[in-house]
Each structure stands twice: as C-alpha cells, then as structure tokens.
Amino acid sequence: MNYYVFLSFLATIVVVTLIFGKLTAKKASATYSDFYLSGRSVKFFSLMMTLLATQFGGGAIIGSSEAAYTSGWLAMCYSLGIAIGFIILSLGIGGRFRTLNISTIPEVFEVAYGSSGLRRFAGLVYIVSMFLILLAVCIAMRKFFYSIGFTSDALYVGFWGVVIIYTMSGGLSAVIMADTLQIILVLSLFLLVYFTMDASSLTLNTALTPNASSIPVISWILMPCLFTIIGQDMGQRCFAAESPRAVFLATFGAGVLMVIASLFPVYLGIMGAEAGIIKGEEGIIMRVIQMVTNPVMSSLFAAGVLMAITSTANSLLCSISLNIAMDIPFIRNMPETSAKWVSRAVTFVVGMAAVAGSYLGSDVIPIMLEAYGLTVTAFFVPIVMALIYKRLSWFAGLASTIMGTTVFVLATLLNPELPDFMPKEVLGLVLSAIVFLVVQGRAVRSKNMKMIELKV
C-alpha cells in the first residue's frame, strides 16, 4: 500500500465532512426535528444515497467477503436480505411510515396502539439493538485499520472522533451530505479497481472448498430483510423524506444498487479462497486487493472501504441518538430550547461508548444478526400490523410483543435444537403473529375491549 496516498485521501475526506458539519450546524440547531430529521425535506437522490450508504458498510463489505471466503456465493444472502427489505419498503410500507409524521419507529406504539409504556419498552430495545450493530461496525473499522498496517489505535480513535464531531455538529443533514459524497466515491473506486485489477496474478494453490452449511441461509436473508423494514436507521430516513413518492423511488433504487455493489466484495472473498490464500488476522479482502492491484489502487480501495464503514457508523450514531432523545420520556420532555445541547451531548456519549465497546468483541455479522433478531421478533409483527389495520387493539400489540421477546430470549438462553427451516427468529415471528391475530380478532368481536383508530 501507498500510505501517502491513503492518508492524503483520508485527510481530504475528513476536512470535507467537517465542513459539511459546519455548514449544516445552524440549520440543525433549532429543533429536534431539524437536527434528527433534516426538517423532513430530504429529496429522492440524497435519500437513495444515504439509504445505500447506511447499509453498504462493514457487514456488506468485510463481513460478506469473509463469509464468501468460507462459503462461496451464499455470502450474498446477507446483502440480498437487505435489498429485499428495501424493495418491500418501496412497495408502500416506507411511504406509509412517512405519512404517520412520527420521529421514531417505537413511536408507532403510541400513535397506533395508544400505549406509552410499549413505546418506552420498544425504545429501550431499539437503543440496545442499534448500539450492538454500531459496536459491530466499530469492530469492523478497528480491524480494518489493523489489516492495512495501522496496529496502533491512534488513527482509529482519531478518525472515529471526527465522525462524532461532524455528526454532533450538523445532525442528519451533515450525515446525509457526507453519505452522498462518500457512497459515490466508494462505488466509483470499486468500479475503478474492478476494471484495473489483474486477477491472473493470483496463483491457484490449494483452493479452499466452500462450506455452505456454515451460513444459516434463512436467518442471513430474513433478519436483515425484516430489520431493514422496521430498523430505526431506515425509519429515520423515511420520516425525513420530503414525500412518500421520494421514499418509494429512493428505497427501490437503493435495493437495486445494494445487490450490484455487494457482488464485488463477495467476489474478492471467493477469489481468495480459490487461490488458497491464508487470510490471517488482517482479513481476506485487502490481502486479495494487494495481490491483484498496484499500491496506489490498493490505497484508494482501502480508503473506499473505510468511507463505506464510516457512512454506516455515522448513520447508526445519529439514529441511536434520535431514539434516546425522543423515546426516553425525561429527555423528550425537556424544553425545545434545550434541543441544541441535548442532541449533541447524547450523540457524543453514544459515540464514545461505541469506541470503548469495540474492544470487547471481534465478530461482525454474528453480532449484527443477534441484534436484528431481538428487534425483529419483538416488534416486527405489531409494527407492520399497525400499517395494515385501521383500528387496533392495544392488547394485541402488547401480547404480540411479549410473545416475540419471550421466544427469542428463551431460545437464546436455552439454545434448543430447532429445525433448519424454523430458527428461533422465525419461531418467534410465527408465534407473535398468531397471538396478534387471535387477540385482535377477539377485540374486533368484543364491545368491551378498547380499540385505537389510527388516523394519518
């Protein structure tokens, strides 16, 4: 690698993103809506780019390439699940979220079910699960710095500090501006590397045999798909869109681009396996790139990967901060005049906690999948049903949430032998749906049970 090229490129991006934070700071200072939802005025192209940037990060690049090294093209399951989630959002769910005029996904429980208690519980679970995903992204970032030769943590901590600073300064507006620039650069650099690399320079030694059984296909497709539909990071962007039509176009476009962009990292992982490369601690993707390109191209590719990871990290950081500010009552009830310092203080604390927590683990996709599973099994059914039914039983939402949460927690702790077609997440979703439909059906027939009519 050419470290001069890498650091120069990185320094340029750092300066530009800090400028973005400065430019958007004034607009983001007025209210929580301005800071976290960019005034609900995000247009189609910027929305599509930030949606893609949020998902095309450590999991889709580093995690998928590592999985492809051992399991071949089945590693596409993770990115395919996210892309399917985008397409489902484009079919009307994303636009429906926008018409609710809410700020967080847990707020659905208060608007649709009339339950502030469920909203508080959902908010806490969302904060925990999103933070676990942020930890996984930070782990991916730290490991990536190690993989390109920066074994000292100074650059990792300093770079993450920059991410925190510009997210604190400009909120979602700064994040979207940075995401748009970074994802365009990432896709351009990936295309450049693909068309200039020399795959023939890899000598086929003892090729590794793909082990398809190492990937739980159903979980790898289903959990990212469903979490994309109800995840706070995706919801925040739908809420911030200028219109439901912008949501439709942006989510569909992001789904198509997600599949196309993810092919390259998976391909690199497969190339490494076919060449019999021993990946070691630094991972496979940079080992392959350094063997098939020159030092300058390797440096640019490394910068592109780092930008992709950063885009995911800052989006998660902003989304977690939104959940904390809007779903924890004593913070939400603070006067609007406190929005400027509260939103920034929360963002700073979450960011620093993620840096510290990234030293406690080493896996990426497994952590993400557990976080996805908890949120999906607990809340997917009641949230989606809130977009379908015009009148809802608050007890149906409560019973469904309790069932999904209980199944996931017990299955995680007890680890029972379940058939491949019925992992714990699917079992939790099925039982949660059954409970919801039974209770909702009884509520419709009963004149005594309180019903909430959803108005949008």
Side-chain angles (χ1 to χ4, degrees), residues 36 66 70 177 191 284 305:
Y36 289 118
E66 298 287 314
T70 57
M177 289 179 70
L191 280 173
I284 192 61
V305 172

Side-chain angles (χ1 to χ4, degrees), residues 380-394:
F380 182 81
V381 171
I383 287 173
V384 171
M385 292 301 182
L387 303 178
I388 297 174
Y389 283 85
K390 291 184 177 180
R391 299 186 70 221
L392 290 156
S393 163
W394 70 271

Side-chain angles (χ1 to χ4, degrees), residues 91-105:
L91 296 178
I93 292 180
R96 179 71 165 160
F97 275 136
R98 177 62 183 87
T99 62
L100 293 178
N101 203 34
I102 57 180
S103 300
T104 69
I105 295 292

Side-chain angles (χ1 to χ4, degrees), residues 378-435:
F379 305 120
F380 182 81
V381 171
I383 287 173
V384 171
M385 292 301 182
L387 303 178
I388 297 174
Y389 283 85
K390 291 184 177 180
R391 299 186 70 221
L392 290 156
S393 163
W394 70 271
F395 190 63
L398 175 63
S400 176
T401 297
I402 291 174
M403 175 58 73
T405 304
T406 302
V407 170
F408 183 85
V409 171
L410 290 179
T412 300
L413 295 176
L414 302 178
N415 194 24
E417 288 292 333
L418 296 173
D420 292 340
F421 64 87
M422 186 66 73
K424 62 184 180 183
E425 297 89 354
V426 175
L427 178 62
L429 283 169
V430 171
L431 294 178
S432 176
I434 291 173
V435 167

